Amino acid sequence: MLSSRLVSLSYAIPFSSKTLFPKLFSKPKIFLSSPSFFHQKLNLSAVSIATSPSFFSDSPLSGLGDGLVGYVFGKKKATEVAHFVWKHVVQKGDTAVDATCGNGHDTLAMLKMVADESGMACVYGFDIQREALESTSSLLDGTVNQAEKGLVKLFNMCHSRMEEVIAKNAPVRLVAFNLGYLPGGDKTVITMAETTALALEAAERIVVPGGLISIVVYVGHPSGREELETVEAFADRLPVDNWICCKFQMLNRPLAPVLVFLFKR
């Protein structure tokens, strides 16, 4: 059923037409779920999705075909798809926020996107585990020069408190969350729905028009489903006039990460 607040749609991909993929995804077509299409389907749920044919060509979702095809067939990780989307939004000199540093791969990706010779760019990184910040700092040491690393500010604190340290009126173009636990770390230390909700509210306040809140939700760990429900509830209440909110989810792989993109108009 389609409602005025939440539209559930699917990209349906016939497996017998592999040669059609580039053409299909260069001008994406949207199908309602139908018995005539089966196998893998990519679920797209949107709080607000434009009905005009120009929606995809005029939005940050344009050109996403290759990334989504790779995700559907397990060739690309959820984080790789997220990075691909970020590149369509982030500009040189911007401020970006890694709300969950982990081992630093998202922080590094953001830095490469925003760093330029002006030195105006900034990447804020947050994690409650000092081990994560040490891993992030070590990755940066081995990958970028000191001038570039100087654009990164790391904080051993909960992402729900990000507004305490992010500069007022900073041009925050991206706030990204990679929810769950630290890969290779203590799996009992996880992000929680309550603080994630507060962090999302903070992100809503600081991201500039034309910016993005990006969330990868890992549902295969304790509280993962609860966090997904929290993210969905947050997106559902965002005003349609100001936000485009999309969810990408594999229907027949229930433990696959769920990607959520909240674009601020």
Side-chain angles (χ1 to χ4, degrees):
M1 177 177 292
L2 303 182
S3 71
S4 60
R5 286 290 294 167
L6 185 62
V7 182
S8 183
L9 304 169
S10 296
Y11 283 120
I13 307 171
F15 272 59
S16 60
S17 304
K18 292 182 180 179
T19 58
L20 295 180
F21 287 162
K23 187 174 181 180
L24 175 66
F25 280 89
S26 63
K27 293 183 179 180
K29 298 179 181 179
I30 299 176
F31 300 89
L32 294 180
S33 297
S34 166
S36 63
F37 290 94
F38 50 95
H39 298 293
Q40 301 269 21
K41 288 186 180 179
L42 183 64
N43 182 37
L44 168 62
S45 296
V47 170
S48 171
I49 186 165
T51 56
S52 166
S54 66
F55 169 73
F56 284 97
S57 61
D58 296 339
S59 78
L61 290 177
S62 63
L64 215 74
D66 290 342
L68 293 182
V69 170
Y71 181 61
V72 167
F73 289 99
K75 301 297 184 181
K76 288 187 179 295
K77 298 178 180 179
T79 50
E80 291 179 291
V81 178
H83 292 182
F84 189 79
V85 175
W86 300 353
K87 291 178 181 178
H88 285 64
V89 176
V90 174
Q91 303 172 20
K92 294 296 182 182
D94 278 340
T95 296
V97 179
D98 186 352
T100 49
C101 281
N103 287 315
H105 298 291
D106 287 348
T107 307
L108 175 60
M110 291 178 189
L111 178 59
K112 289 182 177 180
M113 293 178 200
V114 303
D116 62 7
E117 296 179 356
S118 72
M120 300 298 293
C122 185
V123 176
Y124 290 88
F126 298 89
D127 208 292
I128 60 171
Q129 293 179 270
R130 185 165 296 279
E131 176 187 356
L133 299 181
E134 291 172 353
S135 294
T136 298
S137 181
S138 178
L139 177 65
L140 295 175
D141 284 336
T143 311
V144 302
N145 59 46
Q146 286 303 304
E148 291 172 323
K149 187 180 179 183
L151 302 176
V152 179
K153 304 179 186 298
L154 301 177
F155 296 90
N156 185 201
M157 60 191 294
C158 180
H159 51 207
S160 63
R161 298 169 53 200
M162 67 176 70
E163 287 176 291
E164 295 178 17
V165 296
I166 294 176
K168 302 296 183 184
N169 301 317
V172 178
R173 189 82 57 180
L174 169 67
V175 181
F177 297 80
N178 204 346
L179 302 177
Y181 53 81
L182 174 65
D186 185 351
K187 293 184 178 181
T188 65
V189 181
I190 57 177
T191 53
M192 304 299 293
E194 295 81 2
T195 48
T196 295
L198 293 174
L200 288 171
E201 291 171 3
E204 177 190 0
R205 289 188 290 267
I206 66 175
V207 73
V208 299
L212 168 68
I213 301 174
S214 170
I215 310 144
V216 179
V217 187
Y218 291 87
V219 295
H221 70 89
S223 85
R225 290 289 174 184
E226 182 184 359
E227 273 198 302
L228 177 58
E229 292 173 0
T230 297
V231 170
E232 290 174 335
F234 171 80
D236 187 58
R237 71 163 183 76
L238 291 175
V240 170
D241 291 342
N242 298 331
W243 294 85
I244 298 172
C245 305
C246 308
K247 178 181 75 173
F248 296 89
Q249 182 175 26
M250 299 306 300
L251 298 181
N252 63 346
R253 284 163 44 200
L255 298 183
V258 179
L259 295 113
V260 179
F261 299 115
L262 312 178
F263 299 98
K264 189 171 184 178
R265 295 180 187 273

